[in-house]
């Protein structure tokens, strides 16, 4: 079988029995084909599939391709709201890497997951926002501003992250003790982003009454 034939066979197998393809772990084999030069356009219809197992394979591949998946970022965005947590997880990871340059405002979709109802997805969002570049944070702030949430929790939390060390540790400690869980998450993210300037803030995160922040 030629290389092209092998690639086509993998995609055919995926579309024929998506669940078995996923359970057999064959997504890794297909990923290697993309690393070897399989055109990115062939990933687009997989990302657009209505089948959750096809979505899992496609979003996993996009997350592993990293910045190489920038060309299909529009299709990845829609998967952040998938009904499947695995798909959402992979889509968030892909966006964290690909949301740069002309696509930087797409990072707002990752930020929105800080308020998700699922704890694992919230924790992932916290980690991704904590590691985000400043232009991504600023672009997310513009997104919430343009959506009319000028005084919303996201807007205020992002402004605190943009301010960085200028806001001082006292403000972050106050955020960690806030009655709003989302504010506390932003406080923990700010503490992590400022670990070098204010290393003592991490102990403040661990001493909160919010168990979700302890491991973070």
């Amino acid at each position: 079988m030629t290389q092209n034939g092998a690639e086509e066979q993998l995609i055919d197998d995926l579309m024929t029995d998506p669940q078995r393809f996923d359970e057999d772990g064959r997504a890794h084999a297909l990923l290697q084909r993309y690393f070897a030069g399989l055109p990115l356009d062939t990933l687009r219809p997989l990302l657009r599939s209505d089948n959750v197992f096809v979505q899992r394979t496609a979003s996993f591949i996009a997350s592993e391709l990293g910045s190489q998946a920038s060309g299909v970022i529009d299709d990845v965005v829609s998967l952040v709201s998938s009904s499947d947590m695995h798909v959402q997880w992979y889509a968030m990871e892909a966006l964290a890497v690909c949301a740069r340059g002309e696509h930087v405002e797409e990072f707002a979709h990752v930020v929105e997951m800080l308020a998700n109802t699922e704890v694992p997805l919230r924790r992932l969002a916290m980690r991704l926002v904590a590691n985000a570049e400043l232009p991504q944070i600023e672009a997310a702030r513009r997104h919430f501003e343009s959506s009319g949430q000028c005084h919303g929790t996201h807007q205020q939390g992002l402004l605190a992250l943009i301010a960085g060390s200028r806001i001082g540790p006292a403000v972050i400690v106050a955020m960690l003790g806030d009655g709003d869980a989302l504010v506390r998450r932003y406080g923990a993210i700010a503490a992590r982003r400022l670990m070098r300037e204010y290393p003592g803030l991490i102990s403040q995160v661990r001493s909160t009454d919010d168990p979700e922040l302890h491991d973070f």
Side-chain angles (χ1 to χ4, degrees):
M1 182 180 293
T2 65
Q3 181 174 342
N4 287 342
E7 293 165 350
E8 292 173 359
Q9 186 63 56
L10 277 170
I11 294 176
D12 286 345
D13 289 348
L14 169 60
M15 301 307 293
T16 299
D17 194 341
Q19 183 171 354
R20 182 176 179 180
F21 193 95
D22 175 70
E23 292 173 350
D24 287 348
R26 300 182 68 194
H28 291 274
L30 185 54
L31 170 64
Q32 295 309 312
R33 298 295 180 179
Y34 282 99
F35 280 135
L38 181 62
L40 191 62
D41 282 345
T42 61
L43 186 60
R44 195 178 299 279
L46 305 182
L47 291 166
R48 293 178 178 178
S49 173
D50 292 329
N51 185 284
V52 70
F53 292 101
V54 176
Q55 290 179 5
R56 280 189 189 182
T57 294
S59 58
F60 163 75
I61 289 171
S63 71
E64 291 295 313
L65 287 175
S67 60
Q68 296 180 47
S70 297
V72 292
I73 190 172
D74 291 342
D75 294 303
V76 172
V77 166
S78 64
L79 295 181
V80 176
S81 57
S82 170
S83 61
D84 183 80
M85 282 181 59
H86 295 280
V87 175
Q88 291 177 288
W89 184 286
Y90 295 139
M92 289 167 65
E93 289 188 323
L95 281 180
V97 176
C98 295
R100 288 177 169 82
E102 62 181 307
H103 303 298
V104 70
E105 291 200 12
E106 302 295 0
F107 188 72
H109 295 283
V110 175
V111 175
E112 287 174 338
M113 297 298 281
L114 289 170
N116 193 267
T117 57
E118 299 291 345
V119 173
L121 295 178
R122 291 201 300 266
R123 285 181 173 171
L124 174 62
M126 288 178 67
R127 176 168 61 81
L128 296 176
V129 175
N131 293 328
E133 297 175 355
L134 189 57
Q136 292 178 309
I137 301 294
E138 292 174 332
R141 185 204 61 77
R142 290 195 301 271
H143 165 83
F144 288 106
E145 182 179 47
S146 64
S147 65
Q149 300 183 52
C150 295
H151 303 290
T153 304
H154 281 299
Q155 176 79 348
Q156 297 306 309
L158 291 167
L159 283 171
L161 299 185
I162 291 169
S165 59
R166 296 194 304 276
I167 63 173
V171 174
I172 298 174
V173 171
M175 293 172 70
L176 291 171
D178 197 274
D180 186 329
L182 183 54
V183 174
R184 294 197 297 273
R185 289 173 206 140
Y186 272 109
I189 292 168
R192 178 148 171 195
R193 290 176 68 89
L194 294 173
M195 281 179 62
R196 293 183 179 178
E197 292 90 340
Y198 307 120
L201 284 174
I202 294 303
S203 63
Q204 294 287 338
V205 174
R206 292 172 178 159
S207 65
T208 65
D209 294 330
D210 188 338
E212 193 171 326
L213 305 186
H214 293 172
D215 293 337
F216 176 75

